[in-house]
Amino acid sequence: MIIHSRPSREVQRHRDLEKQIKGNWGSEETSADDERKNILGYQVVKFLIILVGILTFVVMIIGFCQPLTNP
C-alpha cells in the first residue's frame, strides 16, 4: 500500500505559479496593424536616439574647441 502525502504549501504555491506562467502564452492575438505600429514606433525611437547622440557629440566638440579660439 502506497501512501501519498500532500505537498507542502510552498511546493503547492510553486506548482500553481508554474501553471499560471505556462498558461496563456500566445493568446495576445496581435494584428498586422499592431505589428506595423510597433515597428514604426521602434524606428522613431531609434532615430531619436541616434539624433540625440549626434547632437551630444557636436556639443562636446564645440565645447572643447571654444576655449581654444578665445584669446
Side-chain angles (χ1 to χ4, degrees):
M1 183 171 152
I2 299 173
I3 299 175
H4 293 285
S5 64
R6 193 183 104 183
S8 67
R9 288 182 180 149
E10 182 181 351
V11 171
Q12 189 62 37
R13 271 190 251 133
H14 183 69
R15 287 181 187 166
D16 292 341
L17 180 63
E18 283 181 343
K19 286 179 185 177
Q20 183 181 7
I21 290 172
K22 290 178 183 177
N24 298 321
W25 288 100
S27 64
E28 292 87 13
E29 297 181 16
T30 57
S31 65
D33 291 334
D34 293 337
E35 289 297 322
R36 281 191 212 108
K37 289 177 187 174
N38 288 342
I39 291 172
L40 179 64
Y42 168 75
Q43 289 174 344
V44 169
V45 169
K46 184 178 168 184
F47 174 74
L48 290 175
I49 290 172
I50 292 171
L51 182 66
V52 168
I54 291 171
L55 291 175
T56 303
F57 188 69
V58 168
V59 168
M60 287 174 59
I61 290 174
I62 291 172
F64 176 75
C65 294
Q66 188 175 7
L68 299 177
T69 57
N70 288 339

Short mmCIF file of all heavy atoms in Angstrom, two decimals:
data_model
loop_
_atom_site.label_atom_id
_atom_site.label_comp_id
_atom_site.label_asym_id
_atom_site.label_seq_id
_atom_site.Cartn_x
_atom_site.Cartn_y
_atom_site.Cartn_z
N MET A 1 0.83 -1.17 0.00
CA MET A 1 0.00 0.00 0.00
C MET A 1 0.88 1.24 0.00
O MET A 1 1.78 1.39 0.82
CB MET A 1 -0.88 -0.03 1.25
CG MET A 1 -1.83 1.10 1.30
SD MET A 1 -2.95 0.77 2.67
CE MET A 1 -3.35 2.39 3.09
N ILE A 2 0.62 2.15 -0.94
CA ILE A 2 1.41 3.37 -1.06
C ILE A 2 0.60 4.53 -0.52
O ILE A 2 -0.55 4.75 -0.91
CB ILE A 2 1.79 3.64 -2.52
CG1 ILE A 2 2.63 2.47 -3.06
CG2 ILE A 2 2.52 4.95 -2.66
CD1 ILE A 2 2.91 2.57 -4.53
N ILE A 3 1.20 5.28 0.36
CA ILE A 3 0.53 6.44 0.94
C ILE A 3 1.18 7.69 0.35
O ILE A 3 2.38 7.88 0.44
CB ILE A 3 0.66 6.47 2.47
CG1 ILE A 3 0.01 5.21 3.06
CG2 ILE A 3 0.06 7.74 3.04
CD1 ILE A 3 0.19 5.09 4.54
N HIS A 4 0.36 8.51 -0.29
CA HIS A 4 0.85 9.75 -0.85
C HIS A 4 0.57 10.88 0.13
O HIS A 4 -0.56 11.07 0.56
CB HIS A 4 0.15 10.07 -2.19
CG HIS A 4 0.50 9.09 -3.26
ND1 HIS A 4 1.70 9.10 -3.92
CD2 HIS A 4 -0.20 8.07 -3.79
CE1 HIS A 4 1.73 8.14 -4.80
NE2 HIS A 4 0.58 7.47 -4.74
N SER A 5 1.61 11.61 0.45
CA SER A 5 1.42 12.75 1.34
C SER A 5 1.10 13.99 0.51
O SER A 5 1.47 14.10 -0.65
CB SER A 5 2.67 12.99 2.18
OG SER A 5 3.73 13.35 1.35
N ARG A 6 0.37 14.88 1.11
CA ARG A 6 0.04 16.14 0.46
C ARG A 6 1.28 17.01 0.38
O ARG A 6 2.06 17.07 1.34
CB ARG A 6 -1.04 16.83 1.30
CG ARG A 6 -1.69 17.97 0.59
CD ARG A 6 -2.68 18.62 1.48
NE ARG A 6 -2.02 19.85 1.92
CZ ARG A 6 -2.52 20.71 2.77
NH1 ARG A 6 -3.66 20.47 3.35
NH2 ARG A 6 -1.88 21.80 3.08
N PRO A 7 1.51 17.71 -0.75
CA PRO A 7 2.71 18.56 -0.85
C PRO A 7 2.60 19.75 0.12
O PRO A 7 1.51 20.18 0.48
CB PRO A 7 2.71 19.03 -2.29
CG PRO A 7 1.33 18.84 -2.78
CD PRO A 7 0.74 17.73 -1.98
N SER A 8 3.74 20.25 0.48
CA SER A 8 3.75 21.40 1.39
C SER A 8 3.16 22.61 0.70
O SER A 8 3.01 22.65 -0.52
CB SER A 8 5.18 21.70 1.85
OG SER A 8 5.94 22.15 0.74
N ARG A 9 2.82 23.61 1.47
CA ARG A 9 2.22 24.82 0.90
C ARG A 9 3.18 25.51 -0.06
O ARG A 9 2.78 26.03 -1.10
CB ARG A 9 1.83 25.79 2.01
CG ARG A 9 0.65 25.32 2.79
CD ARG A 9 0.27 26.32 3.83
NE ARG A 9 -0.89 25.86 4.57
CZ ARG A 9 -1.13 26.14 5.82
NH1 ARG A 9 -0.29 26.88 6.50
NH2 ARG A 9 -2.21 25.68 6.41
N GLU A 10 4.47 25.49 0.29
CA GLU A 10 5.46 26.13 -0.58
C GLU A 10 5.54 25.41 -1.92
O GLU A 10 5.56 26.05 -2.98
CB GLU A 10 6.82 26.12 0.11
CG GLU A 10 7.91 26.79 -0.69
CD GLU A 10 9.26 26.75 0.02
OE1 GLU A 10 9.31 26.37 1.19
OE2 GLU A 10 10.25 27.10 -0.63
N VAL A 11 5.55 24.10 -1.90
CA VAL A 11 5.60 23.32 -3.14
C VAL A 11 4.33 23.55 -3.95
O VAL A 11 4.37 23.72 -5.17
CB VAL A 11 5.80 21.82 -2.81
CG1 VAL A 11 5.64 20.97 -4.06
CG2 VAL A 11 7.16 21.59 -2.18
N GLN A 12 3.18 23.58 -3.27
CA GLN A 12 1.92 23.80 -3.97
C GLN A 12 1.87 25.19 -4.61
O GLN A 12 1.43 25.34 -5.74
CB GLN A 12 0.75 23.61 -3.01
CG GLN A 12 -0.59 23.60 -3.70
CD GLN A 12 -0.73 22.45 -4.69
OE1 GLN A 12 -0.25 21.34 -4.45
NE2 GLN A 12 -1.38 22.72 -5.79
N ARG A 13 2.35 26.21 -3.89
CA ARG A 13 2.39 27.57 -4.45
C ARG A 13 3.29 27.63 -5.67
O ARG A 13 2.99 28.30 -6.66
CB ARG A 13 2.87 28.58 -3.39
CG ARG A 13 1.75 29.14 -2.58
CD ARG A 13 2.22 30.29 -1.73
NE ARG A 13 2.23 29.80 -0.35
CZ ARG A 13 3.19 29.94 0.54
NH1 ARG A 13 4.25 30.63 0.22
NH2 ARG A 13 3.10 29.45 1.73
N HIS A 14 4.42 26.93 -5.58
CA HIS A 14 5.35 26.91 -6.71
C HIS A 14 4.70 26.25 -7.93
O HIS A 14 4.82 26.75 -9.05
CB HIS A 14 6.62 26.17 -6.30
CG HIS A 14 7.67 26.14 -7.36
ND1 HIS A 14 8.35 27.26 -7.76
CD2 HIS A 14 8.14 25.13 -8.13
CE1 HIS A 14 9.20 26.95 -8.72
NE2 HIS A 14 9.09 25.65 -8.96
N ARG A 15 4.00 25.13 -7.72
CA ARG A 15 3.32 24.46 -8.83
C ARG A 15 2.23 25.35 -9.43
O ARG A 15 2.08 25.42 -10.66
CB ARG A 15 2.70 23.15 -8.35
CG ARG A 15 3.70 22.07 -8.10
CD ARG A 15 3.02 20.81 -7.64
NE ARG A 15 3.98 19.81 -7.25
CZ ARG A 15 3.68 18.72 -6.55
NH1 ARG A 15 2.44 18.51 -6.16
NH2 ARG A 15 4.61 17.87 -6.23
N ASP A 16 1.47 26.03 -8.58
CA ASP A 16 0.42 26.93 -9.07
C ASP A 16 1.01 28.08 -9.88
O ASP A 16 0.47 28.48 -10.90
CB ASP A 16 -0.40 27.49 -7.90
CG ASP A 16 -1.24 26.42 -7.22
OD1 ASP A 16 -1.47 25.36 -7.85
OD2 ASP A 16 -1.66 26.65 -6.07
N LEU A 17 2.15 28.61 -9.41
CA LEU A 17 2.81 29.69 -10.13
C LEU A 17 3.30 29.21 -11.49
O LEU A 17 3.16 29.90 -12.50
CB LEU A 17 3.97 30.24 -9.30
CG LEU A 17 4.76 31.39 -9.92
CD1 LEU A 17 3.85 32.60 -10.11
CD2 LEU A 17 5.93 31.75 -9.05
N GLU A 18 3.86 28.01 -11.55
CA GLU A 18 4.32 27.46 -12.83
C GLU A 18 3.15 27.28 -13.79
O GLU A 18 3.25 27.61 -14.97
CB GLU A 18 5.02 26.12 -12.62
CG GLU A 18 6.42 26.23 -12.10
CD GLU A 18 7.08 24.88 -11.93
OE1 GLU A 18 6.36 23.85 -11.90
OE2 GLU A 18 8.31 24.84 -11.83
N LYS A 19 2.01 26.81 -13.29
CA LYS A 19 0.84 26.65 -14.15
C LYS A 19 0.36 28.00 -14.66
O LYS A 19 -0.03 28.14 -15.82
CB LYS A 19 -0.29 25.96 -13.37
CG LYS A 19 -0.08 24.50 -13.15
CD LYS A 19 -1.23 23.91 -12.37
CE LYS A 19 -0.98 22.46 -12.02
NZ LYS A 19 -2.06 21.90 -11.18
N GLN A 20 0.38 29.01 -13.79
CA GLN A 20 -0.07 30.34 -14.18
C GLN A 20 0.85 30.93 -15.24
O GLN A 20 0.40 31.54 -16.20
CB GLN A 20 -0.11 31.25 -12.96
CG GLN A 20 -0.62 32.63 -13.24
CD GLN A 20 -0.62 33.49 -11.98
OE1 GLN A 20 -0.13 33.08 -10.93
NE2 GLN A 20 -1.13 34.69 -12.09
N ILE A 21 2.16 30.74 -15.09
CA ILE A 21 3.12 31.28 -16.05
C ILE A 21 2.99 30.57 -17.40
O ILE A 21 3.01 31.19 -18.45
CB ILE A 21 4.56 31.16 -15.50
CG1 ILE A 21 4.74 32.12 -14.34
CG2 ILE A 21 5.58 31.43 -16.59
CD1 ILE A 21 6.05 31.94 -13.61
N LYS A 22 2.82 29.26 -17.38
CA LYS A 22 2.73 28.49 -18.62
C LYS A 22 1.38 28.65 -19.30
O LYS A 22 1.25 28.35 -20.48
CB LYS A 22 2.95 27.01 -18.33
CG LYS A 22 4.36 26.67 -17.94
CD LYS A 22 4.48 25.20 -17.64
CE LYS A 22 5.87 24.85 -17.16
NZ LYS A 22 5.99 23.42 -16.80
N GLY A 23 0.41 29.19 -18.60
CA GLY A 23 -0.97 29.16 -19.04
C GLY A 23 -1.33 29.88 -20.31
O GLY A 23 -1.91 29.29 -21.21
N ASN A 24 -1.02 31.14 -20.48
CA ASN A 24 -1.64 31.94 -21.54
C ASN A 24 -0.67 32.48 -22.57
O ASN A 24 -0.92 33.53 -23.16
CB ASN A 24 -2.39 33.12 -20.90
CG ASN A 24 -3.50 32.65 -20.00
OD1 ASN A 24 -4.18 31.69 -20.31
ND2 ASN A 24 -3.67 33.31 -18.88
N TRP A 25 0.41 31.83 -22.83
CA TRP A 25 1.37 32.33 -23.82
C TRP A 25 0.76 32.26 -25.21
O TRP A 25 0.15 31.29 -25.60
CB TRP A 25 2.66 31.51 -23.79
CG TRP A 25 3.47 31.77 -22.58
CD1 TRP A 25 3.53 31.00 -21.48
CD2 TRP A 25 4.31 32.88 -22.33
NE1 TRP A 25 4.36 31.55 -20.55
CE2 TRP A 25 4.85 32.71 -21.04
CE3 TRP A 25 4.65 34.01 -23.05
CZ2 TRP A 25 5.72 33.62 -20.48
CZ3 TRP A 25 5.52 34.92 -22.49
CH2 TRP A 25 6.05 34.71 -21.22
N GLY A 26 0.93 33.34 -25.97
CA GLY A 26 0.48 33.36 -27.35
C GLY A 26 -0.98 33.69 -27.53
O GLY A 26 -1.50 33.61 -28.63
N SER A 27 -1.67 34.10 -26.49
CA SER A 27 -3.09 34.40 -26.63
C SER A 27 -3.35 35.89 -26.78
O SER A 27 -4.48 36.34 -26.63
CB SER A 27 -3.85 33.87 -25.40
OG SER A 27 -3.41 34.56 -24.25
N GLU A 28 -2.32 36.67 -27.10
CA GLU A 28 -2.48 38.12 -27.20
C GLU A 28 -3.24 38.51 -28.46
O GLU A 28 -3.89 39.54 -28.50
CB GLU A 28 -1.12 38.83 -27.20
CG GLU A 28 -0.39 38.74 -25.87
CD GLU A 28 0.45 37.50 -25.76
OE1 GLU A 28 0.67 36.81 -26.80
OE2 GLU A 28 0.88 37.18 -24.66
N GLU A 29 -3.13 37.74 -29.51
CA GLU A 29 -3.79 37.98 -30.77
C GLU A 29 -3.49 39.38 -31.32
O GLU A 29 -4.37 40.22 -31.46
CB GLU A 29 -5.30 37.78 -30.64
CG GLU A 29 -5.69 36.37 -30.28
CD GLU A 29 -7.19 36.18 -30.19
OE1 GLU A 29 -7.93 37.04 -30.68
OE2 GLU A 29 -7.60 35.18 -29.63
N THR A 30 -2.25 39.64 -31.62
CA THR A 30 -1.88 40.92 -32.23
C THR A 30 -2.16 40.87 -33.72
O THR A 30 -1.96 39.85 -34.37
CB THR A 30 -0.39 41.23 -31.99
OG1 THR A 30 0.39 40.17 -32.53
CG2 THR A 30 -0.09 41.40 -30.53
N SER A 31 -2.60 41.98 -34.25
CA SER A 31 -2.92 42.04 -35.68
C SER A 31 -1.73 42.59 -36.44
O SER A 31 -0.74 43.06 -35.86
CB SER A 31 -4.15 42.93 -35.91
OG SER A 31 -3.84 44.26 -35.55
N ALA A 32 -1.83 42.56 -37.76
CA ALA A 32 -0.75 43.08 -38.61
C ALA A 32 -0.60 44.58 -38.42
O ALA A 32 0.51 45.11 -38.47
CB ALA A 32 -1.03 42.75 -40.07
N ASP A 33 -1.72 45.28 -38.19
CA ASP A 33 -1.65 46.73 -37.95
C ASP A 33 -0.88 47.05 -36.68
O ASP A 33 -0.10 48.00 -36.63
CB ASP A 33 -3.06 47.33 -37.87
CG ASP A 33 -3.78 47.29 -39.20
OD1 ASP A 33 -3.09 47.29 -40.25
OD2 ASP A 33 -5.02 47.25 -39.20
N ASP A 34 -1.11 46.24 -35.64
CA ASP A 34 -0.38 46.45 -34.39
C ASP A 34 1.11 46.24 -34.60
O ASP A 34 1.93 46.98 -34.05
CB ASP A 34 -0.89 45.49 -33.31
CG ASP A 34 -2.32 45.79 -32.89
OD1 ASP A 34 -2.76 46.94 -33.08
OD2 ASP A 34 -2.98 44.88 -32.37
N GLU A 35 1.47 45.23 -35.38
CA GLU A 35 2.88 44.98 -35.65
C GLU A 35 3.50 46.14 -36.43
O GLU A 35 4.63 46.54 -36.15
CB GLU A 35 3.05 43.67 -36.44
CG GLU A 35 2.76 42.44 -35.62
CD GLU A 35 3.72 42.27 -34.46
OE1 GLU A 35 4.92 42.58 -34.62
OE2 GLU A 35 3.27 41.84 -33.39
N ARG A 36 2.78 46.70 -37.40
CA ARG A 36 3.31 47.84 -38.15
C ARG A 36 3.51 49.04 -37.23
O ARG A 36 4.50 49.75 -37.34
CB ARG A 36 2.35 48.21 -39.28
CG ARG A 36 2.47 47.31 -40.47
CD ARG A 36 1.71 47.86 -41.67
NE ARG A 36 1.21 46.76 -42.44
CZ ARG A 36 -0.06 46.38 -42.52
NH1 ARG A 36 -0.99 47.06 -41.91
NH2 ARG A 36 -0.41 45.34 -43.23
N LYS A 37 2.57 49.26 -36.32
CA LYS A 37 2.71 50.37 -35.37
C LYS A 37 3.92 50.15 -34.47
O LYS A 37 4.65 51.09 -34.16
CB LYS A 37 1.45 50.50 -34.53
CG LYS A 37 0.26 51.03 -35.29
CD LYS A 37 -0.97 51.08 -34.41
CE LYS A 37 -2.20 51.45 -35.20
NZ LYS A 37 -3.43 51.37 -34.39
N ASN A 38 4.14 48.90 -34.04
CA ASN A 38 5.29 48.61 -33.19
C ASN A 38 6.59 48.86 -33.94
O ASN A 38 7.54 49.42 -33.39
CB ASN A 38 5.24 47.16 -32.70
CG ASN A 38 4.15 46.94 -31.68
OD1 ASN A 38 3.65 47.89 -31.09
ND2 ASN A 38 3.78 45.70 -31.48
N ILE A 39 6.64 48.45 -35.19
CA ILE A 39 7.86 48.65 -35.99
C ILE A 39 8.09 50.14 -36.23
O ILE A 39 9.22 50.62 -36.12
CB ILE A 39 7.75 47.87 -37.32
CG1 ILE A 39 7.81 46.37 -37.05
CG2 ILE A 39 8.87 48.27 -38.27
CD1 ILE A 39 7.52 45.50 -38.25
N LEU A 40 7.02 50.87 -36.54
CA LEU A 40 7.15 52.31 -36.76
C LEU A 40 7.63 53.00 -35.48
O LEU A 40 8.53 53.85 -35.53
CB LEU A 40 5.82 52.90 -37.21
CG LEU A 40 5.80 54.41 -37.46
CD1 LEU A 40 6.74 54.74 -38.61
CD2 LEU A 40 4.40 54.90 -37.75
N GLY A 41 7.07 52.65 -34.35
CA GLY A 41 7.49 53.22 -33.08
C GLY A 41 8.95 52.91 -32.79
O GLY A 41 9.70 53.76 -32.31
N TYR A 42 9.37 51.68 -33.09
CA TYR A 42 10.77 51.29 -32.89
C TYR A 42 11.69 52.13 -33.76
O TYR A 42 12.74 52.59 -33.32
CB TYR A 42 10.92 49.80 -33.22
CG TYR A 42 12.34 49.34 -33.34
CD1 TYR A 42 13.13 49.18 -32.21
CD2 TYR A 42 12.92 49.09 -34.59
CE1 TYR A 42 14.44 48.76 -32.33
CE2 TYR A 42 14.22 48.68 -34.71
CZ TYR A 42 14.98 48.51 -33.57
OH TYR A 42 16.28 48.11 -33.68
N GLN A 43 11.29 52.36 -35.02
CA GLN A 43 12.13 53.15 -35.92
C GLN A 43 12.21 54.60 -35.47
O GLN A 43 13.28 55.21 -35.55
CB GLN A 43 11.58 53.07 -37.34
CG GLN A 43 11.77 51.71 -37.98
CD GLN A 43 11.09 51.59 -39.32
OE1 GLN A 43 10.25 52.41 -39.67
NE2 GLN A 43 11.45 50.57 -40.08
N VAL A 44 11.11 55.16 -34.98
CA VAL A 44 11.13 56.54 -34.49
C VAL A 44 12.05 56.67 -33.28
O VAL A 44 12.86 57.58 -33.20
CB VAL A 44 9.69 57.01 -34.15
CG1 VAL A 44 9.70 58.32 -33.40
CG2 VAL A 44 8.86 57.13 -35.42
N VAL A 45 11.93 55.75 -32.35
CA VAL A 45 12.78 55.80 -31.15
C VAL A 45 14.24 55.62 -31.53
O VAL A 45 15.12 56.33 -31.01
CB VAL A 45 12.33 54.71 -30.14
CG1 VAL A 45 13.34 54.56 -29.01
CG2 VAL A 45 10.96 55.05 -29.59
N LYS A 46 14.52 54.72 -32.43
CA LYS A 46 15.90 54.50 -32.89
C LYS A 46 16.46 55.77 -33.52
O LYS A 46 17.60 56.17 -33.23
CB LYS A 46 15.92 53.35 -33.89
CG LYS A 46 17.28 52.95 -34.36
CD LYS A 46 17.15 51.75 -35.31
CE LYS A 46 18.41 51.49 -36.04
NZ LYS A 46 18.26 50.39 -37.01
N PHE A 47 15.66 56.45 -34.36
CA PHE A 47 16.09 57.69 -35.00
C PHE A 47 16.36 58.77 -33.95
O PHE A 47 17.37 59.48 -34.02
CB PHE A 47 15.03 58.17 -35.99
CG PHE A 47 15.32 59.51 -36.59
CD1 PHE A 47 16.30 59.66 -37.55
CD2 PHE A 47 14.63 60.63 -36.16
CE1 PHE A 47 16.58 60.90 -38.09
CE2 PHE A 47 14.89 61.88 -36.69
CZ PHE A 47 15.87 62.02 -37.66
N LEU A 48 15.48 58.89 -32.97
CA LEU A 48 15.66 59.91 -31.93
C LEU A 48 16.91 59.66 -31.09
O LEU A 48 17.62 60.59 -30.73
CB LEU A 48 14.41 59.99 -31.04
CG LEU A 48 13.17 60.56 -31.71
CD1 LEU A 48 11.98 60.47 -30.76
CD2 LEU A 48 13.40 62.00 -32.14
N ILE A 49 17.19 58.41 -30.79
CA ILE A 49 18.39 58.08 -30.03
C ILE A 49 19.64 58.45 -30.81
O ILE A 49 20.59 59.03 -30.27
CB ILE A 49 18.39 56.58 -29.64
CG1 ILE A 49 17.32 56.32 -28.60
CG2 ILE A 49 19.76 56.14 -29.13
CD1 ILE A 49 17.10 54.86 -28.28
N ILE A 50 19.66 58.13 -32.10
CA ILE A 50 20.81 58.47 -32.94
C ILE A 50 20.96 59.99 -33.03
O ILE A 50 22.06 60.53 -32.94
CB ILE A 50 20.66 57.83 -34.33
CG1 ILE A 50 20.80 56.31 -34.22
CG2 ILE A 50 21.67 58.39 -35.32
CD1 ILE A 50 20.47 55.56 -35.49
N LEU A 51 19.84 60.70 -33.20
CA LEU A 51 19.87 62.16 -33.30
C LEU A 51 20.42 62.79 -32.02
O LEU A 51 21.28 63.68 -32.08
CB LEU A 51 18.47 62.69 -33.60
CG LEU A 51 18.35 64.20 -33.78
CD1 LEU A 51 19.09 64.63 -35.03
CD2 LEU A 51 16.89 64.60 -33.87
N VAL A 52 19.97 62.32 -30.88
CA VAL A 52 20.47 62.85 -29.60
C VAL A 52 21.95 62.56 -29.45
O VAL A 52 22.72 63.40 -28.97
CB VAL A 52 19.65 62.28 -28.42
CG1 VAL A 52 20.31 62.57 -27.09
CG2 VAL A 52 18.24 62.84 -28.45
N GLY A 53 22.38 61.38 -29.87
CA GLY A 53 23.80 61.04 -29.80
C GLY A 53 24.66 61.95 -30.67
O GLY A 53 25.72 62.42 -30.24
N ILE A 54 24.20 62.22 -31.88
CA ILE A 54 24.94 63.10 -32.78
C ILE A 54 25.00 64.51 -32.22
O ILE A 54 26.06 65.16 -32.23
CB ILE A 54 24.32 63.07 -34.19
CG1 ILE A 54 24.55 61.70 -34.84
CG2 ILE A 54 24.89 64.18 -35.07
CD1 ILE A 54 23.80 61.50 -36.15
N LEU A 55 23.86 65.02 -31.75
CA LEU A 55 23.84 66.37 -31.18
C LEU A 55 24.74 66.47 -29.94
O LEU A 55 25.43 67.48 -29.76
CB LEU A 55 22.41 66.78 -30.83
CG LEU A 55 21.48 67.02 -32.03
CD1 LEU A 55 20.07 67.30 -31.55
CD2 LEU A 55 21.99 68.14 -32.89
N THR A 56 24.75 65.47 -29.12
CA THR A 56 25.63 65.46 -27.95
C THR A 56 27.09 65.51 -28.38
O THR A 56 27.90 66.23 -27.80
CB THR A 56 25.37 64.21 -27.10
OG1 THR A 56 23.99 64.18 -26.74
CG2 THR A 56 26.23 64.19 -25.86
N PHE A 57 27.43 64.73 -29.41
CA PHE A 57 28.80 64.72 -29.91
C PHE A 57 29.19 66.09 -30.45
O PHE A 57 30.29 66.59 -30.18
CB PHE A 57 28.92 63.65 -31.00
CG PHE A 57 30.31 63.40 -31.47
CD1 PHE A 57 31.23 62.79 -30.64
CD2 PHE A 57 30.71 63.78 -32.74
CE1 PHE A 57 32.53 62.56 -31.07
CE2 PHE A 57 32.00 63.56 -33.18
CZ PHE A 57 32.91 62.95 -32.33
N VAL A 58 28.30 66.75 -31.19
CA VAL A 58 28.58 68.08 -31.73
C VAL A 58 28.77 69.09 -30.60
O VAL A 58 29.70 69.92 -30.63
CB VAL A 58 27.44 68.52 -32.69
CG1 VAL A 58 27.55 69.99 -33.05
CG2 VAL A 58 27.45 67.66 -33.94
N VAL A 59 27.93 69.03 -29.59
CA VAL A 59 28.05 69.94 -28.45
C VAL A 59 29.37 69.72 -27.72
O VAL A 59 30.03 70.68 -27.30
CB VAL A 59 26.84 69.78 -27.50
CG1 VAL A 59 27.08 70.49 -26.17
CG2 VAL A 59 25.58 70.31 -28.16
N MET A 60 29.79 68.48 -27.60
CA MET A 60 31.08 68.20 -26.94
C MET A 60 32.24 68.77 -27.75
O MET A 60 33.18 69.35 -27.19
CB MET A 60 31.26 66.69 -26.76
CG MET A 60 30.38 66.11 -25.68
SD MET A 60 30.46 64.31 -25.59
CE MET A 60 32.18 64.04 -25.27
N ILE A 61 32.19 68.63 -29.07
CA ILE A 61 33.26 69.17 -29.91
C ILE A 61 33.29 70.70 -29.81
O ILE A 61 34.37 71.30 -29.66
CB ILE A 61 33.07 68.72 -31.38
CG1 ILE A 61 33.35 67.23 -31.49
CG2 ILE A 61 33.98 69.51 -32.31
CD1 ILE A 61 33.06 66.66 -32.85
N ILE A 62 32.11 71.34 -29.88
CA ILE A 62 32.07 72.80 -29.76
C ILE A 62 32.57 73.25 -28.40
O ILE A 62 33.33 74.21 -28.28
CB ILE A 62 30.64 73.31 -30.02
CG1 ILE A 62 30.26 73.10 -31.48
CG2 ILE A 62 30.48 74.77 -29.63
CD1 ILE A 62 28.81 73.38 -31.81
N GLY A 63 32.19 72.55 -27.35
CA GLY A 63 32.64 72.90 -26.01
C GLY A 63 34.15 72.74 -25.84
O GLY A 63 34.79 73.47 -25.10
N PHE A 64 34.73 71.77 -26.53
CA PHE A 64 36.17 71.58 -26.44
C PHE A 64 36.93 72.62 -27.26
O PHE A 64 37.96 73.12 -26.84
CB PHE A 64 36.54 70.18 -26.95
CG PHE A 64 38.00 69.92 -26.98
CD1 PHE A 64 38.69 69.67 -25.79
CD2 PHE A 64 38.70 69.90 -28.17
CE1 PHE A 64 40.06 69.44 -25.81
CE2 PHE A 64 40.06 69.66 -28.20
CZ PHE A 64 40.75 69.43 -27.01
N CYS A 65 36.40 72.99 -28.43
CA CYS A 65 37.10 73.92 -29.32
C CYS A 65 36.92 75.38 -28.91
O CYS A 65 37.75 76.21 -29.27
CB CYS A 65 36.61 73.75 -30.76
SG CYS A 65 37.07 72.15 -31.46
N GLN A 66 35.88 75.69 -28.19
CA GLN A 66 35.62 77.08 -27.83
C GLN A 66 36.74 77.71 -26.98
O GLN A 66 37.18 78.81 -27.27
CB GLN A 66 34.27 77.19 -27.11
CG GLN A 66 33.83 78.62 -26.89
CD GLN A 66 32.43 78.66 -26.27
OE1 GLN A 66 31.89 77.64 -25.91
NE2 GLN A 66 31.88 79.85 -26.17
N PRO A 67 37.26 77.02 -25.98
CA PRO A 67 38.37 77.63 -25.22
C PRO A 67 39.63 77.83 -26.06
O PRO A 67 40.44 78.71 -25.78
CB PRO A 67 38.64 76.67 -24.09
CG PRO A 67 37.40 75.86 -23.95
CD PRO A 67 36.79 75.80 -25.31
N LEU A 68 39.80 77.06 -27.11
CA LEU A 68 40.99 77.18 -27.94
C LEU A 68 40.93 78.43 -28.82
O LEU A 68 41.96 78.96 -29.19
CB LEU A 68 41.15 75.94 -28.83
CG LEU A 68 41.31 74.60 -28.10
CD1 LEU A 68 41.37 73.46 -29.11
CD2 LEU A 68 42.56 74.62 -27.25
N THR A 69 39.72 78.89 -29.18
CA THR A 69 39.58 80.04 -30.06
C THR A 69 39.58 81.34 -29.32
O THR A 69 39.83 82.40 -29.92
CB THR A 69 38.28 79.93 -30.89
OG1 THR A 69 37.18 79.82 -30.00
CG2 THR A 69 38.32 78.68 -31.77
N ASN A 70 39.30 81.36 -28.02
CA ASN A 70 39.31 82.62 -27.25
C ASN A 70 40.74 83.01 -26.92
O ASN A 70 41.56 82.16 -26.59
CB ASN A 70 38.50 82.45 -25.96
CG ASN A 70 37.01 82.39 -26.23
OD1 ASN A 70 36.55 82.83 -27.27
ND2 ASN A 70 36.28 81.83 -25.28
N PRO A 71 41.03 84.33 -26.95
CA PRO A 71 42.42 84.76 -26.65
C PRO A 71 42.76 84.68 -25.17
O PRO A 71 42.08 84.65 -24.29
CB PRO A 71 42.46 86.20 -27.13
CG PRO A 71 41.05 86.64 -27.29
CD PRO A 71 40.22 85.41 -27.40
#
